Amino acid sequence: MVHVKEYVRADGTKVRAHSRWPAGARREMSVLATIALVVVDFAGTTGSGSTDGSGR
């Protein structure tokens, strides 16, 4: 995260100090989160029809 210090704009507006994402980081995070959700979804499916052990 990038930390932006407090400053005053040319029109006199005071901007408080804040943190923001670096350029491109928000898109990268959303792609990573999507991939993680897909992996978790596939990990939850075992491929077997029954998990209770009855074999029917």
Side-chain angles (χ1 to χ4, degrees):
M1 305 249 335
V2 176
H3 183 74
V4 179
K5 294 181 180 179
E6 186 176 294
Y7 65 96
V8 178
R9 293 183 180 170
D11 64 358
T13 306
K14 189 174 183 179
V15 179
R16 295 187 303 177
H18 61 278
S19 296
R20 65 171 176 83
W21 289 91
R26 187 171 294 161
R27 181 183 176 278
E28 292 174 9
M29 183 58 81
S30 64
V31 169
L32 181 64
T34 302
I35 292 170
L37 286 173
V38 169
V39 168
V40 168
D41 186 43
F42 280 115
T45 58
T46 61
S48 62
S50 176
T51 58
D52 64 358
S54 66
R56 293 184 184 175

mmCIF file of all heavy atoms in Angstrom:
data_model
loop_
_atom_site.group_PDB
_atom_site.id
_atom_site.type_symbol
_atom_site.label_atom_id
_atom_site.label_comp_id
_atom_site.label_asym_id
_atom_site.label_seq_id
_atom_site.Cartn_x
_atom_site.Cartn_y
_atom_site.Cartn_z
ATOM 1 N N MET A 1 0.834 -1.167 0.000
ATOM 2 C CA MET A 1 0.000 0.000 0.000
ATOM 3 C C MET A 1 0.885 1.238 0.000
ATOM 4 O O MET A 1 1.909 1.282 0.659
ATOM 5 C CB MET A 1 -0.911 0.014 1.224
ATOM 6 C CG MET A 1 -1.763 -1.197 1.402
ATOM 7 S SD MET A 1 -3.526 -1.128 1.183
ATOM 8 C CE MET A 1 -4.084 0.452 1.447
ATOM 9 N N VAL A 2 0.441 2.223 -0.724
ATOM 10 C CA VAL A 2 1.159 3.491 -0.809
ATOM 11 C C VAL A 2 0.559 4.454 0.208
ATOM 12 O O VAL A 2 -0.658 4.569 0.316
ATOM 13 C CB VAL A 2 1.027 4.083 -2.234
ATOM 14 C CG1 VAL A 2 1.692 5.436 -2.310
ATOM 15 C CG2 VAL A 2 1.616 3.133 -3.257
ATOM 16 N N HIS A 3 1.402 5.111 0.992
ATOM 17 C CA HIS A 3 0.923 6.094 1.964
ATOM 18 C C HIS A 3 1.075 7.483 1.360
ATOM 19 O O HIS A 3 2.175 7.891 0.972
ATOM 20 C CB HIS A 3 1.700 6.002 3.271
ATOM 21 C CG HIS A 3 1.196 6.945 4.305
ATOM 22 N ND1 HIS A 3 0.014 6.741 4.971
ATOM 23 C CD2 HIS A 3 1.688 8.117 4.760
ATOM 24 C CE1 HIS A 3 -0.188 7.753 5.795
ATOM 25 N NE2 HIS A 3 0.821 8.601 5.690
ATOM 26 N N VAL A 4 -0.039 8.210 1.273
ATOM 27 C CA VAL A 4 -0.043 9.567 0.732
ATOM 28 C C VAL A 4 -0.086 10.535 1.910
ATOM 29 O O VAL A 4 -0.972 10.451 2.754
ATOM 30 C CB VAL A 4 -1.264 9.781 -0.191
ATOM 31 C CG1 VAL A 4 -1.282 11.196 -0.736
ATOM 32 C CG2 VAL A 4 -1.269 8.753 -1.313
ATOM 33 N N LYS A 5 0.868 11.447 1.957
ATOM 34 C CA LYS A 5 0.920 12.433 3.040
ATOM 35 C C LYS A 5 -0.137 13.513 2.825
ATOM 36 O O LYS A 5 -0.636 13.704 1.718
ATOM 37 C CB LYS A 5 2.304 13.077 3.097
ATOM 38 C CG LYS A 5 3.400 12.114 3.487
ATOM 39 C CD LYS A 5 4.726 12.833 3.552
ATOM 40 C CE LYS A 5 5.833 11.871 3.933
ATOM 41 N NZ LYS A 5 7.138 12.530 3.987
ATOM 42 N N GLU A 6 -0.457 14.210 3.905
ATOM 43 C CA GLU A 6 -1.412 15.317 3.830
ATOM 44 C C GLU A 6 -0.845 16.409 2.930
ATOM 45 O O GLU A 6 0.350 16.715 2.965
ATOM 46 C CB GLU A 6 -1.656 15.863 5.232
ATOM 47 C CG GLU A 6 -2.735 16.908 5.303
ATOM 48 C CD GLU A 6 -3.002 17.330 6.728
ATOM 49 O OE1 GLU A 6 -3.487 16.482 7.500
ATOM 50 O OE2 GLU A 6 -2.716 18.491 7.063
ATOM 51 N N TYR A 7 -1.726 17.007 2.094
ATOM 52 C CA TYR A 7 -1.289 18.092 1.220
ATOM 53 C C TYR A 7 -2.460 19.017 0.915
ATOM 54 O O TYR A 7 -3.601 18.725 1.227
ATOM 55 C CB TYR A 7 -0.670 17.546 -0.076
ATOM 56 C CG TYR A 7 -1.641 16.783 -0.960
ATOM 57 C CD1 TYR A 7 -2.293 17.416 -2.023
ATOM 58 C CD2 TYR A 7 -1.892 15.422 -0.755
ATOM 59 C CE1 TYR A 7 -3.165 16.724 -2.841
ATOM 60 C CE2 TYR A 7 -2.754 14.732 -1.567
ATOM 61 C CZ TYR A 7 -3.393 15.375 -2.615
ATOM 62 O OH TYR A 7 -4.253 14.687 -3.425
ATOM 63 N N VAL A 8 -2.150 20.145 0.285
ATOM 64 C CA VAL A 8 -3.162 21.121 -0.108
ATOM 65 C C VAL A 8 -3.162 21.207 -1.629
ATOM 66 O O VAL A 8 -2.115 21.425 -2.256
ATOM 67 C CB VAL A 8 -2.868 22.507 0.515
ATOM 68 C CG1 VAL A 8 -3.910 23.522 0.060
ATOM 69 C CG2 VAL A 8 -2.839 22.418 2.026
ATOM 70 N N ARG A 9 -4.347 21.055 -2.225
ATOM 71 C CA ARG A 9 -4.478 21.153 -3.682
ATOM 72 C C ARG A 9 -4.348 22.607 -4.128
ATOM 73 O O ARG A 9 -4.420 23.543 -3.331
ATOM 74 C CB ARG A 9 -5.840 20.611 -4.120
ATOM 75 C CG ARG A 9 -5.985 19.134 -3.906
ATOM 76 C CD ARG A 9 -7.317 18.670 -4.425
ATOM 77 N NE ARG A 9 -7.454 17.231 -4.211
ATOM 78 C CZ ARG A 9 -8.575 16.574 -4.395
ATOM 79 N NH1 ARG A 9 -9.672 17.192 -4.799
ATOM 80 N NH2 ARG A 9 -8.611 15.277 -4.184
ATOM 81 N N ALA A 10 -4.183 22.800 -5.430
ATOM 82 C CA ALA A 10 -4.023 24.147 -5.984
ATOM 83 C C ALA A 10 -5.240 25.028 -5.717
ATOM 84 O O ALA A 10 -5.110 26.251 -5.588
ATOM 85 C CB ALA A 10 -3.764 24.060 -7.494
ATOM 86 N N ASP A 11 -6.432 24.394 -5.597
ATOM 87 C CA ASP A 11 -7.641 25.188 -5.352
ATOM 88 C C ASP A 11 -7.874 25.451 -3.864
ATOM 89 O O ASP A 11 -8.888 26.017 -3.474
ATOM 90 C CB ASP A 11 -8.865 24.519 -5.955
ATOM 91 C CG ASP A 11 -9.186 23.163 -5.327
ATOM 92 O OD1 ASP A 11 -8.435 22.710 -4.450
ATOM 93 O OD2 ASP A 11 -10.198 22.563 -5.722
ATOM 94 N N GLY A 12 -6.927 25.045 -2.998
ATOM 95 C CA GLY A 12 -7.020 25.308 -1.569
ATOM 96 C C GLY A 12 -7.645 24.200 -0.753
ATOM 97 O O GLY A 12 -7.730 24.285 0.469
ATOM 98 N N THR A 13 -8.083 23.115 -1.405
ATOM 99 C CA THR A 13 -8.681 21.985 -0.703
ATOM 100 C C THR A 13 -7.607 21.208 0.041
ATOM 101 O O THR A 13 -6.588 20.825 -0.534
ATOM 102 C CB THR A 13 -9.392 21.038 -1.687
ATOM 103 O OG1 THR A 13 -10.321 21.791 -2.452
ATOM 104 C CG2 THR A 13 -10.090 19.907 -0.965
ATOM 105 N N LYS A 14 -7.818 20.979 1.346
ATOM 106 C CA LYS A 14 -6.873 20.221 2.163
ATOM 107 C C LYS A 14 -7.214 18.731 2.049
ATOM 108 O O LYS A 14 -8.355 18.333 2.260
ATOM 109 C CB LYS A 14 -6.956 20.673 3.614
ATOM 110 C CG LYS A 14 -5.889 20.104 4.495
ATOM 111 C CD LYS A 14 -5.952 20.723 5.889
ATOM 112 C CE LYS A 14 -4.835 20.213 6.750
ATOM 113 N NZ LYS A 14 -4.864 20.821 8.088
ATOM 114 N N VAL A 15 -6.226 17.918 1.716
ATOM 115 C CA VAL A 15 -6.396 16.470 1.579
ATOM 116 C C VAL A 15 -5.697 15.800 2.750
ATOM 117 O O VAL A 15 -4.517 16.041 2.998
ATOM 118 C CB VAL A 15 -5.815 15.959 0.241
ATOM 119 C CG1 VAL A 15 -5.978 14.457 0.111
ATOM 120 C CG2 VAL A 15 -6.465 16.682 -0.926
ATOM 121 N N ARG A 16 -6.455 14.979 3.484
ATOM 122 C CA ARG A 16 -5.876 14.268 4.636
ATOM 123 C C ARG A 16 -4.939 13.148 4.175
ATOM 124 O O ARG A 16 -5.064 12.630 3.058
ATOM 125 C CB ARG A 16 -6.985 13.657 5.489
ATOM 126 C CG ARG A 16 -7.871 14.694 6.126
ATOM 127 C CD ARG A 16 -8.850 14.081 7.086
ATOM 128 N NE ARG A 16 -9.668 13.059 6.418
ATOM 129 C CZ ARG A 16 -10.565 12.318 7.030
ATOM 130 N NH1 ARG A 16 -10.772 12.455 8.326
ATOM 131 N NH2 ARG A 16 -11.259 11.437 6.360
ATOM 132 N N ALA A 17 -4.034 12.754 5.050
ATOM 133 C CA ALA A 17 -3.135 11.628 4.772
ATOM 134 C C ALA A 17 -3.964 10.351 4.678
ATOM 135 O O ALA A 17 -4.938 10.166 5.407
ATOM 136 C CB ALA A 17 -2.088 11.522 5.866
ATOM 137 N N HIS A 18 -3.598 9.479 3.757
ATOM 138 C CA HIS A 18 -4.338 8.232 3.566
ATOM 139 C C HIS A 18 -3.453 7.208 2.863
ATOM 140 O O HIS A 18 -2.372 7.534 2.373
ATOM 141 C CB HIS A 18 -5.615 8.481 2.742
ATOM 142 C CG HIS A 18 -5.344 9.017 1.368
ATOM 143 N ND1 HIS A 18 -5.096 10.354 1.128
ATOM 144 C CD2 HIS A 18 -5.282 8.403 0.165
ATOM 145 C CE1 HIS A 18 -4.901 10.534 -0.166
ATOM 146 N NE2 HIS A 18 -4.996 9.367 -0.779
ATOM 147 N N SER A 19 -3.914 5.976 2.833
ATOM 148 C CA SER A 19 -3.223 4.908 2.106
ATOM 149 C C SER A 19 -4.069 4.519 0.907
ATOM 150 O O SER A 19 -5.291 4.617 0.935
ATOM 151 C CB SER A 19 -3.027 3.689 3.006
ATOM 152 O OG SER A 19 -2.187 4.003 4.081
ATOM 153 N N ARG A 20 -3.414 4.088 -0.145
ATOM 154 C CA ARG A 20 -4.132 3.647 -1.337
ATOM 155 C C ARG A 20 -3.379 2.498 -1.979
ATOM 156 O O ARG A 20 -2.209 2.252 -1.697
ATOM 157 C CB ARG A 20 -4.305 4.800 -2.325
ATOM 158 C CG ARG A 20 -2.994 5.306 -2.898
ATOM 159 C CD ARG A 20 -3.238 6.290 -4.024
ATOM 160 N NE ARG A 20 -2.007 6.861 -4.523
ATOM 161 C CZ ARG A 20 -1.206 6.287 -5.417
ATOM 162 N NH1 ARG A 20 -1.506 5.110 -5.906
ATOM 163 N NH2 ARG A 20 -0.090 6.865 -5.801
ATOM 164 N N TRP A 21 -4.083 1.782 -2.867
ATOM 165 C CA TRP A 21 -3.453 0.688 -3.601
ATOM 166 C C TRP A 21 -2.521 1.265 -4.660
ATOM 167 O O TRP A 21 -2.842 2.270 -5.285
ATOM 168 C CB TRP A 21 -4.509 -0.146 -4.313
ATOM 169 C CG TRP A 21 -5.357 -0.968 -3.411
ATOM 170 C CD1 TRP A 21 -6.543 -0.599 -2.852
ATOM 171 C CD2 TRP A 21 -5.096 -2.286 -2.963
ATOM 172 N NE1 TRP A 21 -7.036 -1.610 -2.085
ATOM 173 C CE2 TRP A 21 -6.170 -2.668 -2.142
ATOM 174 C CE3 TRP A 21 -4.062 -3.184 -3.169
ATOM 175 C CZ2 TRP A 21 -6.230 -3.913 -1.534
ATOM 176 C CZ3 TRP A 21 -4.127 -4.423 -2.563
ATOM 177 C CH2 TRP A 21 -5.189 -4.771 -1.753
ATOM 178 N N PRO A 22 -1.373 0.619 -4.920
ATOM 179 C CA PRO A 22 -0.528 1.050 -6.035
ATOM 180 C C PRO A 22 -1.247 0.811 -7.363
ATOM 181 O O PRO A 22 -2.168 0.000 -7.436
ATOM 182 C CB PRO A 22 0.700 0.153 -5.928
ATOM 183 C CG PRO A 22 0.672 -0.431 -4.575
ATOM 184 C CD PRO A 22 -0.756 -0.444 -4.149
ATOM 185 N N ALA A 23 -0.815 1.466 -8.400
ATOM 186 C CA ALA A 23 -1.433 1.307 -9.720
ATOM 187 C C ALA A 23 -1.374 -0.155 -10.165
ATOM 188 O O ALA A 23 -0.317 -0.784 -10.120
ATOM 189 C CB ALA A 23 -0.715 2.195 -10.732
ATOM 190 N N GLY A 24 -2.516 -0.711 -10.539
ATOM 191 C CA GLY A 24 -2.582 -2.084 -11.029
ATOM 192 C C GLY A 24 -2.746 -3.145 -9.963
ATOM 193 O O GLY A 24 -3.053 -4.290 -10.257
ATOM 194 N N ALA A 25 -2.561 -2.799 -8.708
ATOM 195 C CA ALA A 25 -2.604 -3.796 -7.635
ATOM 196 C C ALA A 25 -4.017 -4.298 -7.372
ATOM 197 O O ALA A 25 -4.210 -5.463 -7.032
ATOM 198 C CB ALA A 25 -2.019 -3.221 -6.352
ATOM 199 N N ARG A 26 -5.024 -3.466 -7.546
ATOM 200 C CA ARG A 26 -6.406 -3.876 -7.286
ATOM 201 C C ARG A 26 -6.815 -4.959 -8.277
ATOM 202 O O ARG A 26 -7.449 -5.934 -7.928
ATOM 203 C CB ARG A 26 -7.342 -2.680 -7.371
ATOM 204 C CG ARG A 26 -8.750 -3.011 -6.947
ATOM 205 C CD ARG A 26 -9.592 -1.779 -6.831
ATOM 206 N NE ARG A 26 -9.083 -0.969 -5.733
ATOM 207 C CZ ARG A 26 -9.335 0.307 -5.569
ATOM 208 N NH1 ARG A 26 -10.083 0.939 -6.426
ATOM 209 N NH2 ARG A 26 -8.845 0.960 -4.548
ATOM 210 N N ARG A 27 -6.438 -4.803 -9.544
ATOM 211 C CA ARG A 27 -6.761 -5.809 -10.560
ATOM 212 C C ARG A 27 -6.041 -7.121 -10.253
ATOM 213 O O ARG A 27 -6.625 -8.195 -10.351
ATOM 214 C CB ARG A 27 -6.369 -5.310 -11.945
ATOM 215 C CG ARG A 27 -6.706 -6.310 -13.041
ATOM 216 C CD ARG A 27 -6.225 -5.814 -14.409
ATOM 217 N NE ARG A 27 -6.466 -6.789 -15.432
ATOM 218 C CZ ARG A 27 -5.690 -7.829 -15.682
ATOM 219 N NH1 ARG A 27 -4.612 -8.029 -14.961
ATOM 220 N NH2 ARG A 27 -5.988 -8.679 -16.636
ATOM 221 N N GLU A 28 -4.777 -7.042 -9.884
ATOM 222 C CA GLU A 28 -4.009 -8.245 -9.559
ATOM 223 C C GLU A 28 -4.631 -8.985 -8.375
ATOM 224 O O GLU A 28 -4.719 -10.207 -8.373
ATOM 225 C CB GLU A 28 -2.557 -7.881 -9.242
ATOM 226 C CG GLU A 28 -1.780 -7.382 -10.436
ATOM 227 C CD GLU A 28 -0.393 -6.902 -10.065
ATOM 228 O OE1 GLU A 28 0.026 -7.106 -8.911
ATOM 229 O OE2 GLU A 28 0.265 -6.311 -10.938
ATOM 230 N N MET A 29 -5.094 -8.248 -7.362
ATOM 231 C CA MET A 29 -5.708 -8.865 -6.195
ATOM 232 C C MET A 29 -7.017 -9.547 -6.564
ATOM 233 O O MET A 29 -7.318 -10.633 -6.072
ATOM 234 C CB MET A 29 -5.938 -7.822 -5.098
ATOM 235 C CG MET A 29 -6.502 -8.402 -3.831
ATOM 236 S SD MET A 29 -5.468 -9.688 -3.095
ATOM 237 C CE MET A 29 -4.272 -8.703 -2.253
ATOM 238 N N SER A 30 -7.802 -8.930 -7.443
ATOM 239 C CA SER A 30 -9.072 -9.549 -7.837
ATOM 240 C C SER A 30 -8.834 -10.814 -8.649
ATOM 241 O O SER A 30 -9.570 -11.798 -8.506
ATOM 242 C CB SER A 30 -9.949 -8.564 -8.607
ATOM 243 O OG SER A 30 -9.339 -8.193 -9.810
ATOM 244 N N VAL A 31 -7.810 -10.837 -9.492
ATOM 245 C CA VAL A 31 -7.474 -12.046 -10.246
ATOM 246 C C VAL A 31 -7.024 -13.141 -9.294
ATOM 247 O O VAL A 31 -7.450 -14.299 -9.409
ATOM 248 C CB VAL A 31 -6.381 -11.744 -11.304
ATOM 249 C CG1 VAL A 31 -5.836 -13.030 -11.902
ATOM 250 C CG2 VAL A 31 -6.925 -10.833 -12.383
ATOM 251 N N LEU A 32 -6.189 -12.810 -8.325
ATOM 252 C CA LEU A 32 -5.715 -13.783 -7.343
ATOM 253 C C LEU A 32 -6.872 -14.341 -6.516
ATOM 254 O O LEU A 32 -6.948 -15.549 -6.274
ATOM 255 C CB LEU A 32 -4.684 -13.135 -6.419
ATOM 256 C CG LEU A 32 -4.084 -14.039 -5.342
ATOM 257 C CD1 LEU A 32 -3.296 -15.166 -5.980
ATOM 258 C CD2 LEU A 32 -3.202 -13.233 -4.417
ATOM 259 N N ALA A 33 -7.806 -13.482 -6.108
ATOM 260 C CA ALA A 33 -8.958 -13.925 -5.325
ATOM 261 C C ALA A 33 -9.849 -14.851 -6.148
ATOM 262 O O ALA A 33 -10.353 -15.863 -5.634
ATOM 263 C CB ALA A 33 -9.755 -12.724 -4.842
ATOM 264 N N THR A 34 -10.028 -14.562 -7.423
ATOM 265 C CA THR A 34 -10.838 -15.419 -8.294
ATOM 266 C C THR A 34 -10.203 -16.792 -8.440
ATOM 267 O O THR A 34 -10.883 -17.814 -8.343
ATOM 268 C CB THR A 34 -11.006 -14.763 -9.677
ATOM 269 O OG1 THR A 34 -11.612 -13.488 -9.507
ATOM 270 C CG2 THR A 34 -11.847 -15.627 -10.585
ATOM 271 N N ILE A 35 -8.905 -16.828 -8.648
ATOM 272 C CA ILE A 35 -8.203 -18.107 -8.767
ATOM 273 C C ILE A 35 -8.314 -18.898 -7.470
ATOM 274 O O ILE A 35 -8.557 -20.105 -7.480
ATOM 275 C CB ILE A 35 -6.724 -17.878 -9.156
ATOM 276 C CG1 ILE A 35 -6.642 -17.332 -10.589
ATOM 277 C CG2 ILE A 35 -5.913 -19.162 -9.021
ATOM 278 C CD1 ILE A 35 -5.261 -16.861 -10.983
ATOM 279 N N ALA A 36 -8.171 -18.218 -6.331
ATOM 280 C CA ALA A 36 -8.281 -18.894 -5.034
ATOM 281 C C ALA A 36 -9.681 -19.479 -4.844
ATOM 282 O O ALA A 36 -9.825 -20.602 -4.341
ATOM 283 C CB ALA A 36 -7.953 -17.925 -3.904
ATOM 284 N N LEU A 37 -10.716 -18.749 -5.236
ATOM 285 C CA LEU A 37 -12.081 -19.269 -5.111
ATOM 286 C C LEU A 37 -12.295 -20.493 -5.991
ATOM 287 O O LEU A 37 -12.956 -21.452 -5.580
ATOM 288 C CB LEU A 37 -13.094 -18.179 -5.470
ATOM 289 C CG LEU A 37 -13.269 -17.085 -4.436
ATOM 290 C CD1 LEU A 37 -14.162 -15.983 -4.977
ATOM 291 C CD2 LEU A 37 -13.838 -17.646 -3.151
ATOM 292 N N VAL A 38 -11.747 -20.486 -7.186
ATOM 293 C CA VAL A 38 -11.871 -21.643 -8.079
ATOM 294 C C VAL A 38 -11.158 -22.852 -7.483
ATOM 295 O O VAL A 38 -11.685 -23.962 -7.485
ATOM 296 C CB VAL A 38 -11.316 -21.304 -9.483
ATOM 297 C CG1 VAL A 38 -11.190 -22.549 -10.338
ATOM 298 C CG2 VAL A 38 -12.203 -20.276 -10.164
ATOM 299 N N VAL A 39 -9.971 -22.651 -6.940
ATOM 300 C CA VAL A 39 -9.219 -23.751 -6.329
ATOM 301 C C VAL A 39 -9.983 -24.323 -5.139
ATOM 302 O O VAL A 39 -10.104 -25.540 -4.994
ATOM 303 C CB VAL A 39 -7.810 -23.272 -5.905
ATOM 304 C CG1 VAL A 39 -7.127 -24.306 -5.015
ATOM 305 C CG2 VAL A 39 -6.970 -22.981 -7.131
ATOM 306 N N VAL A 40 -10.525 -23.463 -4.298
ATOM 307 C CA VAL A 40 -11.290 -23.922 -3.135
ATOM 308 C C VAL A 40 -12.533 -24.680 -3.587
ATOM 309 O O VAL A 40 -12.890 -25.704 -3.022
ATOM 310 C CB VAL A 40 -11.664 -22.728 -2.224
ATOM 311 C CG1 VAL A 40 -12.698 -23.125 -1.179
ATOM 312 C CG2 VAL A 40 -10.416 -22.191 -1.546
ATOM 313 N N ASP A 41 -13.194 -24.196 -4.642
ATOM 314 C CA ASP A 41 -14.392 -24.853 -5.158
ATOM 315 C C ASP A 41 -14.059 -26.245 -5.678
ATOM 316 O O ASP A 41 -14.762 -27.208 -5.385
ATOM 317 C CB ASP A 41 -15.018 -24.010 -6.268
ATOM 318 C CG ASP A 41 -16.344 -24.589 -6.738
ATOM 319 O OD1 ASP A 41 -17.140 -25.000 -5.865
ATOM 320 O OD2 ASP A 41 -16.579 -24.624 -7.960
ATOM 321 N N PHE A 42 -12.970 -26.383 -6.440
ATOM 322 C CA PHE A 42 -12.584 -27.696 -6.955
ATOM 323 C C PHE A 42 -12.072 -28.613 -5.850
ATOM 324 O O PHE A 42 -12.245 -29.818 -5.916
ATOM 325 C CB PHE A 42 -11.530 -27.566 -8.054
ATOM 326 C CG PHE A 42 -12.111 -27.201 -9.383
ATOM 327 C CD1 PHE A 42 -11.808 -25.990 -9.982
ATOM 328 C CD2 PHE A 42 -12.976 -28.060 -10.041
ATOM 329 C CE1 PHE A 42 -12.341 -25.646 -11.194
ATOM 330 C CE2 PHE A 42 -13.521 -27.727 -11.265
ATOM 331 C CZ PHE A 42 -13.206 -26.520 -11.853
ATOM 332 N N ALA A 43 -11.460 -28.061 -4.831
ATOM 333 C CA ALA A 43 -10.961 -28.879 -3.722
ATOM 334 C C ALA A 43 -12.121 -29.459 -2.920
ATOM 335 O O ALA A 43 -11.990 -30.509 -2.303
ATOM 336 C CB ALA A 43 -10.067 -28.053 -2.810
ATOM 337 N N GLY A 44 -13.272 -28.807 -2.944
ATOM 338 C CA GLY A 44 -14.436 -29.279 -2.214
ATOM 339 C C GLY A 44 -15.153 -30.427 -2.895
ATOM 340 O O GLY A 44 -15.954 -31.113 -2.282
ATOM 341 N N THR A 45 -14.877 -30.660 -4.183
ATOM 342 C CA THR A 45 -15.517 -31.768 -4.900
ATOM 343 C C THR A 45 -14.554 -32.944 -4.946
ATOM 344 O O THR A 45 -13.434 -32.832 -5.401
ATOM 345 C CB THR A 45 -15.898 -31.340 -6.328
ATOM 346 O OG1 THR A 45 -14.726 -30.919 -7.015
ATOM 347 C CG2 THR A 45 -16.904 -30.205 -6.311
ATOM 348 N N THR A 46 -15.014 -34.101 -4.459
ATOM 349 C CA THR A 46 -14.141 -35.273 -4.393
ATOM 350 C C THR A 46 -14.277 -36.172 -5.604
ATOM 351 O O THR A 46 -13.405 -36.986 -5.863
ATOM 352 C CB THR A 46 -14.458 -36.105 -3.137
ATOM 353 O OG1 THR A 46 -15.800 -36.548 -3.226
ATOM 354 C CG2 THR A 46 -14.243 -35.285 -1.882
ATOM 355 N N GLY A 47 -15.380 -36.079 -6.320
ATOM 356 C CA GLY A 47 -15.573 -36.925 -7.487
ATOM 357 C C GLY A 47 -16.288 -38.224 -7.157
ATOM 358 O O GLY A 47 -16.763 -38.914 -8.031
ATOM 359 N N SER A 48 -16.384 -38.612 -5.899
ATOM 360 C CA SER A 48 -17.110 -39.818 -5.526
ATOM 361 C C SER A 48 -18.565 -39.458 -5.262
ATOM 362 O O SER A 48 -18.879 -38.354 -4.826
ATOM 363 C CB SER A 48 -16.486 -40.469 -4.300
ATOM 364 O OG SER A 48 -16.563 -39.598 -3.209
ATOM 365 N N GLY A 49 -19.450 -40.411 -5.497
ATOM 366 C CA GLY A 49 -20.861 -40.152 -5.340
ATOM 367 C C GLY A 49 -21.313 -40.110 -3.904
ATOM 368 O O GLY A 49 -22.244 -39.398 -3.560
ATOM 369 N N SER A 50 -20.673 -40.852 -3.027
ATOM 370 C CA SER A 50 -21.124 -40.917 -1.646
ATOM 371 C C SER A 50 -19.933 -40.836 -0.712
ATOM 372 O O SER A 50 -18.906 -41.453 -0.953
ATOM 373 C CB SER A 50 -21.874 -42.227 -1.399
ATOM 374 O OG SER A 50 -22.224 -42.343 -0.050
ATOM 375 N N THR A 51 -20.113 -40.112 0.380
ATOM 376 C CA THR A 51 -19.031 -39.992 1.348
ATOM 377 C C THR A 51 -19.403 -40.626 2.689
ATOM 378 O O THR A 51 -18.669 -40.516 3.649
ATOM 379 C CB THR A 51 -18.648 -38.512 1.583
ATOM 380 O OG1 THR A 51 -19.805 -37.815 2.039
ATOM 381 C CG2 THR A 51 -18.116 -37.882 0.310
ATOM 382 N N ASP A 52 -20.577 -41.276 2.738
ATOM 383 C CA ASP A 52 -20.990 -41.854 4.027
ATOM 384 C C ASP A 52 -20.428 -43.256 4.251
ATOM 385 O O ASP A 52 -20.623 -43.835 5.307
ATOM 386 C CB ASP A 52 -22.517 -41.860 4.150
ATOM 387 C CG ASP A 52 -23.198 -42.751 3.118
ATOM 388 O OD1 ASP A 52 -22.497 -43.331 2.279
ATOM 389 O OD2 ASP A 52 -24.429 -42.875 3.198
ATOM 390 N N GLY A 53 -19.761 -43.818 3.255
ATOM 391 C CA GLY A 53 -19.130 -45.118 3.428
ATOM 392 C C GLY A 53 -20.034 -46.309 3.224
ATOM 393 O O GLY A 53 -19.602 -47.452 3.357
ATOM 394 N N SER A 54 -21.287 -46.112 2.848
ATOM 395 C CA SER A 54 -22.181 -47.246 2.690
ATOM 396 C C SER A 54 -21.944 -47.993 1.399
ATOM 397 O O SER A 54 -22.228 -49.172 1.301
ATOM 398 C CB SER A 54 -23.653 -46.772 2.764
ATOM 399 O OG SER A 54 -23.927 -45.935 1.646
ATOM 400 N N GLY A 55 -21.422 -47.311 0.369
ATOM 401 C CA GLY A 55 -21.113 -47.989 -0.888
ATOM 402 C C GLY A 55 -22.327 -48.255 -1.760
ATOM 403 O O GLY A 55 -22.272 -48.998 -2.721
ATOM 404 N N ARG A 56 -23.456 -47.729 -1.447
ATOM 405 C CA ARG A 56 -24.662 -47.961 -2.246
ATOM 406 C C ARG A 56 -24.817 -46.951 -3.337
ATOM 407 O O ARG A 56 -24.545 -45.861 -3.308
ATOM 408 C CB ARG A 56 -25.903 -47.910 -1.340
ATOM 409 C CG ARG A 56 -25.907 -49.047 -0.397
ATOM 410 C CD ARG A 56 -27.173 -49.012 0.405
ATOM 411 N NE ARG A 56 -27.113 -50.094 1.388
ATOM 412 C CZ ARG A 56 -28.003 -50.284 2.301
ATOM 413 N NH1 ARG A 56 -29.032 -49.493 2.400
ATOM 414 N NH2 ARG A 56 -27.897 -51.270 3.141
#
